[in-house]
Amino acid sequence: MRLAFADPRNLTLSPLNMHHGRPDPDVSDILPSVRRRGVLLTLLVLEATRDGVVVEDHFEIVAGRRRWKAALAALAEGVEIDPIPIGILEPGDDAAAIEASLIENLGRLPPDEVTCWETFTRLVTSGRTAEQIAATFGLSDVVVKRTLALGALLPRIRNLYRREEIDVATVRYLTLASKAQQKAWLALLDDPEQRAPTGGALKAWLFGGTSIPTKHALFSLDDYPGQIRADLFGEDSYFVESDLFWRCQNEAVAAWREALLADGWSEVEVLDVGEPFYSWKHARTPKAKGGKVFITIGVKGEVEVHEGWLTDREAKRAQAAAERAARGESPEAAEAARLARPEVTQAQGAYIDLHRHAAVRVALTEHPAVALRMLVAHAVAGSAHWQVKADPRAPHDPSVAVSLAASPAEAAFAERRGAVTTMLGLGDDAEGVLGRRGLGGAAGVFARLLGMPDEAVLGVAAVVMAESLQAGSDEVEAAGVWLKVDIARFWAPDEAFFDLMRDRETVNAMLKEVGGKKVADGNLTEKVKTQKGILRDFVEGTNGRAKVEAWTPKWLGFPAQAYTRRPFGPARRARTVAPLLRRAEAALASQPAAIAAE
């Protein structure tokens, strides 16, 4: 720095002066001494330049504005004063000039608070670091950073504080705001229909409702991809993007939950954000006795873990389960009781079930082979909507039971049913296929059928249908007629057949079938027993009667027919299904592939 003297009229105020652009100061306190003795203390100046060239004997004042203004005032009054002393700073070091201005003012008349903020900010703009500023002025790093944050506020906000139109808390919280947020806040301030938040409300507004301190984070801040804003006037820093914080925090909570489960806890329940944990509504329960872990999360992200608890209701269920286990009851039942609280509500469960049901129904229609297996599985094991039962085949008369036991048809069906029970894993001694819930229900049977070829599945379906076919039904008649069942393959007149006949008119009609009209008419008035004996002779070829081979009474044929005009159930059913089968034959003629060839 070089010392010299200069004419006050050749001086101007440097833009680096911390009071540049401010109204002229009050110099009434120093003007009398300047009139008498002139300016005695040195002003700090820079050489004035124009278009990069130094203007000789012209300078810009960095520090000493009030003394210069007093000298100009004295000259304006006609007082002759000596040139004023100046210290010429080296050109190019703006930061040094700003520091000089600030130091000089701090040592004399302290500048206003906002001017200090602005000057510190200009020092940083000119190349000084916060640490260098702290060392120069003997301040702590925290104080300098706070001052720089205040100086970085939008000019209008600084002026609002300078004019005392906003308070200290508001201006400090605004240092947490981005430039866009500061502009948005000013827009609210200018809107007559809205109220700009101030104080603590401003802090909540800046962070979207709730400010989340970084001290609540379970994750490492070093790996956090979002922004963190430090509160220079407090001890905390805050997350700017709450959504990003919650995503990271939830991931950390999930990892903690997995670790607790891996540590042997039976269940770890994470409560809703803001939901409290009340110990008085819970019972202490150790891990070994089924105790759970409850994790609470506050609205500001704080996490607490409560290990070894059950709700009062769960504790009672656990105690009851332990008592049942002590009595030797099923441990599975005890476990089910312990886990009795469902995962979803009843309405939500219905929603899930019905949507899944709708999708599977369509899928089954698209895959008829799978649908066939599901149908057969339901028929075998039953379900809530399926109650397929085997025909009881329980005759009231013992003689009928004896006859059925000797029937070749019964033996043939038993053989086929045995093959199916073996395929389904029911065991060789199974008495039937239907109603086998021990297979795991319809789902278990369905799983077995999925591993079988279509031919085998159709074989199972055939046995299932045959076993559940109702005796004495229209369906028996329809199937028998359609398949042209030859009853003679499986039946021959036996003792029960003859013993059960009681009607003379019917027996005489049968006698006419096997022996002819002359024989029948000749025995028309004979007793039933006599006519049955003659009928039997023809069937068996005894007592000189010619044997009638493979005779089948019209009762047993397909379609069934009556021997009299009186009601006969099988004949009535035959008349019922006849038109239905005729329509089926017509349809089959136009669509030969409508049914597999038999």
Side-chain angles (χ1 to χ4, degrees), residues 211-219 239 245 249 300-303:
S211 55
I212 303 174
T214 55
K215 66 182 180 182
H216 292 162
L218 296 180
F219 50 88
F239 293 100
F245 160 78
Q249 189 78 333
K300 292 191 174 184
E302 61 272 32
V303 177

Side-chain angles (χ1 to χ4, degrees), residues 48-286:
T49 60
R50 184 178 296 121
D51 298 329
V53 179
V54 174
V55 180
E56 189 174 355
D57 295 331
H58 284 70
F59 304 94
E60 295 179 350
I61 300 170
V62 172
R65 183 182 70 145
R66 294 181 73 246
R67 280 163 279 160
W68 169 57
K69 288 293 184 179
L72 291 178
L75 289 172
E77 293 174 355
V79 178
E80 292 293 332
I81 61 173
D82 295 331
I84 60 179
I86 58 174
I88 305 172
L89 300 173
E90 294 299 325
D93 193 350
D94 291 351
I98 295 171
E99 285 179 346
S101 174
L102 183 57
I103 293 171
E104 200 271 351
N105 279 277
L106 288 173
R108 297 181 182 277
L109 181 63
D112 68 85
E113 187 178 5
V114 178
T115 301
C116 284
W117 304 347
E118 296 167 340
T119 305
F120 271 43
T121 303
R122 290 167 63 194
L123 280 172
V124 171
T125 304
S126 299
R128 289 289 191 267
T129 65
E131 291 75 15
Q132 290 172 330
I133 295 172
T136 299
F137 293 95
L139 302 173
S140 68
D141 289 347
V142 172
V143 171
V144 173
K145 289 179 179 178
R146 289 175 178 173
T147 305
L148 291 174
L150 292 164
L153 292 170
L154 292 176
R156 186 181 169 197
I157 293 176
R158 298 197 301 265
N159 289 330
L160 287 170
Y161 180 74
R162 181 182 277 125
R163 296 193 300 268
E164 298 183 355
E165 294 181 23
I166 56 176
D167 59 18
V168 173
T170 299
V171 79
R172 287 182 174 180
Y173 283 134
L174 282 170
T175 63
L176 297 171
S178 64
K179 287 292 189 287
Q181 287 177 313
Q182 292 178 36
K183 292 177 181 178
W185 183 83
L186 288 172
L188 289 176
L189 190 67
D190 293 335
D191 191 336
E193 297 183 359
Q194 298 193 67
R195 182 176 181 179
T198 58
L202 172 58
K203 184 179 179 182
W205 179 80
L206 289 173
F207 292 101
T210 302
S211 55
I212 303 174
T214 55
K215 66 182 180 182
H216 292 162
L218 296 180
F219 50 88
S220 171
L221 298 181
D222 295 337
D223 301 327
Y224 181 66
Q227 298 181 52
I228 293 174
R229 196 163 292 159
D231 181 359
L232 298 173
F233 300 92
E235 297 180 356
D236 291 324
S237 297
Y238 299 91
F239 293 100
V240 175
E241 305 98 340
S242 60
D243 290 345
L244 180 57
F245 160 78
W246 281 113
R247 189 182 75 192
C248 296
Q249 189 78 333
N250 287 336
E251 290 174 355
V253 170
W256 198 349
R257 179 179 181 274
E258 293 298 326
L260 289 167
L261 290 171
D263 193 37
W265 290 100
S266 62
E267 187 176 346
V268 178
E269 183 174 342
V270 181
L271 303 183
D272 291 339
V273 173
E275 182 181 353
F277 175 82
Y278 297 114
S279 59
W280 51 272
K281 289 185 177 181
H282 296 74
R284 279 279 189 187
T285 309

